Structure formats: C-alpha cells, structure tokens
Amino acid sequence: MKSTQSKKSDRHLGLSTLQDISAIILKSHDLNETITNIVDLVAQRAKSDVCSLYLLDNDNLTLTLRATKGLDKAAIGKVSLKIGEGLTGTVAADKQVLALQEPQNHPAYRYFSETGEEKFHTFVGIPLLDRNHAIGVLVIQTRIAHDFTEEELATLSTIAFQVASIVVNARLLDAIDQFQLPMPEPAEPQQESADTDSDTQPQTIRGKSAYPGVAIGPANVIDQKYGFADILEECNVDPEHESRLLDKALRQTRIQTLYLEKRVAEKLTQEDAAIFHTHLMILEDRGFIDRLHSKIDAGHSAPYALKKVIGDYIDAFGQMEDAYLRERAADMEDIGRRLLANLTGKATDGLHLNHPGILVAKRLLPSDMAILDHEKIQGMVLESNEANAHSVIMAKALGIPAVIGVKGAVSLIQPDVTVILDANTGSIYQNPHPTVIEEYQRLEQDRQQEQERLSCLRDLPAETSDRVKINLRANIGLVSDVSVAQQNGAEGVGLYRTEFPYMTRKSFPDRQDQYLLYKRIIQEFDGLPVTIRTLDIGGDKVLPYFAMPNEDNPFMGWRSVRISLENRQIFQTQIEAILMAALHGPVKLLFPMISNMEEIRACKQIVTAAKQSLRDEGIPFSDKVPLGAMIEVPAAVRIARHLAKEVDFFALGTNDLIQYLLAADRSNSKVEKYYDPLHPAVMLSLHGIAEAAREQNISVCVCGEMATDPICLFAMIGLGIHEFSLSAPYIPQLKHLIRRINSEQAQAVASQALDKADSHEIRSLLEAAVAGLPESPLPC
Ligand code: PEP
Ligand code: MG
C-alpha cells in the first residue's frame, strides 16, 4: 500500500491535548479510569485506529495491556509480553521511541490474536520511563500508513511522561495501602519551651556550609507553631459537619496547590513546579480521601482524622527502602500542613517575611520556597542536614549563603535579633558583640574595596612577571555561576559540573534539554573555551530520581564514570547533547574519576557511537571536541603516562585526589588535619602528572579548590602547570599574585619542595617565597 503522508491539520496532537490530559489527570480518582480516558483522548486526537497502554507487572519483566481504544477490550489484563518481546517489548527494552510503517516487516514483530488485531500499517511505541526504568509503553497503530512528525512524537512523549508520573503516583499510594501500621499514640501537645531571658547574649552556633558567603541581618525565624501537635482527640463531634469541613478544605487546598504550581513555574522552572502536580494527585486520590472520611465516620474530628492519616502516610514513606520514596514523606507533611491550615482557618502565616533578613527554619518544603519572597532572604539557616533538599538546591541557584544541619536553630535563634551568617565557615553569630559586627563589616568592606581595586585587572591576561601566560578559568555548576564567572574575568570554564542541573530536576533531562542548557552556557562565554564534565554523581551527590545502592563507603563505591558506563543510554545521550552544543563554541569533553585504561577507552567508544548515532539521525554536531580524563584517583597518577596517550588533555581534580591519596575524607572535619594539599605525596603526584602531560604534549588544568590557595598556586606554577579552574571570586586576587611571580624562580622553589619529606618544611619554603615576591603596582 502506498504510504500516505499525514497532514498536520488532520491531527490535533498539540498543546490542547496536553492540557486536556492534565484535566483528565486532575479529575481522575483511580488509575484505570485515568488511563482509559487518556487512551480514548489520544486515539481521537491522533486520529489513530488504536491507542493502547501496556504497564509493567510487579515481576518487573512482563508488560500487560491495561487500557485500549481500538483493540478488543476483552484483551485488557490478558495480553502480556515480556520486555524485549514483540515491538512493544522492544520499546520497553530499548527505552526508546519506535515509529514504523509496515510493522509486520520488523524482525521483532509478533501477532496477538486475542486483541482482534488486524493489519496495521503504522506502529508507534513510546516508553513510559520512571527514573530511567521502563514502566510501560504507549502504543499507537493506524490502518492507513502515517508519518508522525517530530512534533507529534514529542507531544506523545510528553503524554507518556505524564502517564508515567500518574502510574508512579498510583503505585506509591498502593505501596502505602500495603502498610498496616499500628496507629501512633496521639502526640502530646508540645510545650512551649520555658524561655529564659538570654536573648541578648552573644552566642555562636555551628552548622555545615551549603553555599558560601556572608550575610548580616535580623533573623526571620519561621517556626510553624501551629501544627498537628496541637490537635487533640475530640468527643461528640458531628460526623456530617466534619465531613463537610473536610471537603471544603480539600477544595481550597487543591486550588491553592494549582496556584503554587503556577507560581513556582513562573519563578523557577516547570520541573521545579512538577512536585505540586504530584500533590494535586494525592489530594484527588480516592484512597486518601476515603481514609480521611472513614476516620471521621469512626467519630473523630476532621483535623484529628487528618493528623492520623497523614501520620500513617509519613510513617509508611519514612520506612521505605528506596530513598526517592522516603523523600515523599516530606510531600505528605507539606500537604497535611496546608490542609490543616484550611481546616482550622489558622493559616501558616509564619511564612510571611516582614523584612529582609536571615531565614531560620527547621526545614523548608518545596511549597515554602514557593511562598517565600526570595528577595527578602539574605541568608538561610536550616536545622535539617539535607544538602540536596530542593530548598537548598533552590537557595544555591538563587545565590543565597546557606548553613544547614544547625541543631535547634529555631529555638536557639530569637526572632529579629541580629545575626551574622558566615557560610564560609558554617558559623552563625547571634547577638554578636558590636566589635564582631564591625569586624565582619570591615572584612566585607575590605573585600568589596579589594574587588573594586582589582577590577582593573579583569580584562588583562594573567601573566607572570617573565611573561608566562597562565589561564584562569571558572568552575561552574548552575547557570547563576556564569555571571559570577564573567564579572571576575574568568577566561572560560575549566570545569562545568553538569550534575548540578540534573539535581534540580524531577527526572533525567532529555537530549534536547541538555543541548539547550549547554548551548546557553557556551554562548554566554562567547568564544572562550568551556570544559564540560560528564555526570559525576555518587559520593555525596545524589539525584532524587536515581536510586543509589546503600554502600558502606560511597566515595570508594559506585560513583562517577562507573555509573555512567553502566547506564549507557544516559551517558550517550549526554555526550550527544555536548557534541551538538559544541557547534556553538570551543568545547572540551571531560570524563571524571578515570582509574584505568579500559574506562577511558570505553568512554571514547561511546563518543564514537554517539557521533555515529547523530550522523544517522542527520543531526549536526562538532567532530572536533577534545577529550580529557580527570586525574583524581592515585591509580590514574601512576599510569598518567599511559593515559596521556589516550586523551587530548588532563584535568587534575585535587579535591578527590588529596582525599584518596591521604585517606582523608574531604568532608569530614575530624580528619581535616590529614587533608593536606602540601603533603609531599601530593606534590610528587602533581609533578608526575605535569611531566606525563609534557611528554605527550597535552595540556593539564588543575580544577580543585587547592588552586585558590596562593602558596599552592605558586608551587603548581613552579611545577610547570599553567592552567587553573577555580571558584571565580578568587580570580582577581590570584591574577594579581601571578603578575608578581617569576616563573623561573617558582620552578627553583618547587624543585626544592619536591625534595622535602614533610609538609611543614614545604609550607615554610613556599610561604617564604610568596612573602618575598616583589610588589607589582596595579595598572590603574
Ligand atoms: C575534584 O575532585 O577536584 C573536582 C574538581 O571535582 P569535584 O569537586 O566535583 O569532585
Ligand atoms: Mg572529583
């Protein structure tokens, strides 16, 4: 049969379909009803003869037909196939869209008589993905051959994404139903702590820095005083009255949630707002609502029923193995708190900030960040210790200094008292003595003056006094770092940590999203080089949607390139996006944590495959992207001269290298004194790497924090390293230092340092050399 090209106007698979699907999801009460309505709508809008949905069974191996428009409905629940079997199973196995004409010619084609299936001339299968696992397939079939346009396939993928999220939610709720938890005893109302006077005493409190910087201002303490602890069991309630109250509160909360979703989408991104869609689903969930009503029918007041049901959900989520599911406890808490405020009429007005200041809270939920006025948050102090919590990630994205893990902050810090938040050291000074305030203000003033004084160096090259060019580039993570890098005169990016944009999302960004993000960064640097490092998760960096195993030693475990190489599709997709973006400026591609030759060779093979795949798709990309290995594991130091033959450049990750070399956890303050960048073993390693790079004539760039320390920078210049990538605010002062250094003298000092057996001697030698550097007047 002759293939008939579909005209775009024939089908209406556009925005309105997505909006209608959102409406179906909002109104639905159970999964079956929702997916039935969705397949009907998609079949109608796509003008397809069949739209079917297959979902993965609990065995994680079998796909079963769960809803269909167009096939025999009696086949629902009966037709099953294994992952990898037939076209549908192939879509699930490959986790990729499959769009075909004359599907019976495909080797994987399989005929199912139960479905009443006749000859179809077009097959489109779209995987439903949850955290990169296929959980189902959406299938479209037509009797007359159609070419689905890119745009239509993209819309179908968005529909599949929405369906996947409702399936995941439905499963979450099912998982909870399986928990038969004993009812917790009613909590005693919390006693207000008998407050003593001492709110004018200076006090220092400590926590962990989540985002550096200093802020001075009045404390904005957010203490959600009115909560479930205040709800006690009541007798003689009128169940009908309580039911009406509950329904009204549910309606109000749904409307507020829609508003929150819109507000967050406007202020941040659609991905950040997606969490409120999940909240809406829960607020509409029949199981959740029935549980609340049955508690009321059993004689409890609506607030008490809510307290019990939310408590059960939080306990159930809290006990789950999967970290992602455990995190959902915070969502239940958030929903419960907003419902309670509507039930009792006592709004959570604690979130209103009267004045700019330092925000102090136990923890912040996504909706709190949405409600709060960001302009009034000068700094953030949180009791919770979740470095990757949404609120902390949002604070970083907004450039707000933050200290986390501050035990008892909400009760220790008095509202409105003056607070100095030193997020560089993780210290909080409450009611600081005026001299401390003065000292901080003076430091801040000095810092600003020095920045201004050095600003005339911004556009001058970093060059030693004997004219050796040194490159100072920026380490960046979030888009907000770009302007900081530019303000400080960074000559491009030596390390783009791509895991940070992955962390702020609800799921893995697709190739197009990544391409657009990388392109934006590359264009911002307007011709300056940008080194993009592939995903470096694991250790202390986790993605909320990517399950990590429980490991005794996560830093020694399944992390970084090891994860990428075992998740080939995620890895290749990222590489493809980087190669595509490289058309917009000079890009280098960097692989983290390489520890042997097989790894770097496997990475290079994936680059070759990525190029081939882009070629096959006819997508333009740059074929000239230099490839580099991060040297941050001692094994890589020892085989550096072999590795140097495989790559175009080295990036030296001293943060990790020092911790692995000296067996001193980089984030454990107890072993801080062992974490010594001037240990002779570190110096010798840097020397070995620089030599290996020189022999093979490849470049080496140091991108660990060590480069921000003037004496270390001096030593590394002496070792012949001429490229550094660091936190951009350090660039002006280091540029000034570099202009005072004579490279030959630095080389002589470094070679003396290499002979020393102990780090004190090395430090004294370098300190003396730096102290003796001649002054160099600023050129302005
Ligand atoms: C390093 O290890 O030195 C490095 C730059 O990478 P990260 O800090 O992201 O581990
Ligand atoms: Mg590292």
Side-chain angles (χ1 to χ4, degrees), residues 497 533 536 541 559 592-593 630 632 653-657 660 666:
R497 294 179 163 108
R533 179 176 74 182
D536 184 35
K541 290 181 277 196
R559 61 168 293 211
M593 216 193 155
M630 257 189 114
E632 48 185 346
T654 52
N655 300 341
D656 276 319
L657 181 59
Y660 290 132
R666 64 194 261 185

Side-chain angles (χ1 to χ4, degrees), residues 186-191 225-232 307 340:
E188 289 298 317
Q190 251 171 20
Q191 294 295 316
K225 284 200 165 50
Y226 188 75
F228 283 119
D230 302 275
I231 305 296
L232 299 179
K307 169 178 171 162
L340 184 67

Side-chain angles (χ1 to χ4, degrees), residues 127 170 349 382:
D349 53 9
L382 296 183

Side-chain angles (χ1 to χ4, degrees), residues 617-650:
E617 285 186 66
I619 294 176
F621 65 94
S622 167
D623 203 8
K624 297 194 181 59
V625 174
L627 306 181
M630 257 189 114
I631 307 294
E632 48 185 346
V633 177
V637 177
R638 299 306 300 263
I639 59 165
R641 77 195 165 83
H642 301 296
L643 283 170
K645 293 184 189 140
E646 290 287 336
V647 291
D648 303 307
F649 68 99
F650 279 162

Side-chain angles (χ1 to χ4, degrees), residues 1 49 82 111-112 115 125 163 262 321-322 356-357 408 440 483 490 518 587 757 776:
M1 182 187 282
D49 301 295
K82 296 276 175 231
Y111 176 74
F112 290 94
T115 57
V163 176
K262 188 162 169 286
E321 281 267 304
D322 184 319
Y440 263 96
S483 57
Y518 303 152
V587 165
S776 155

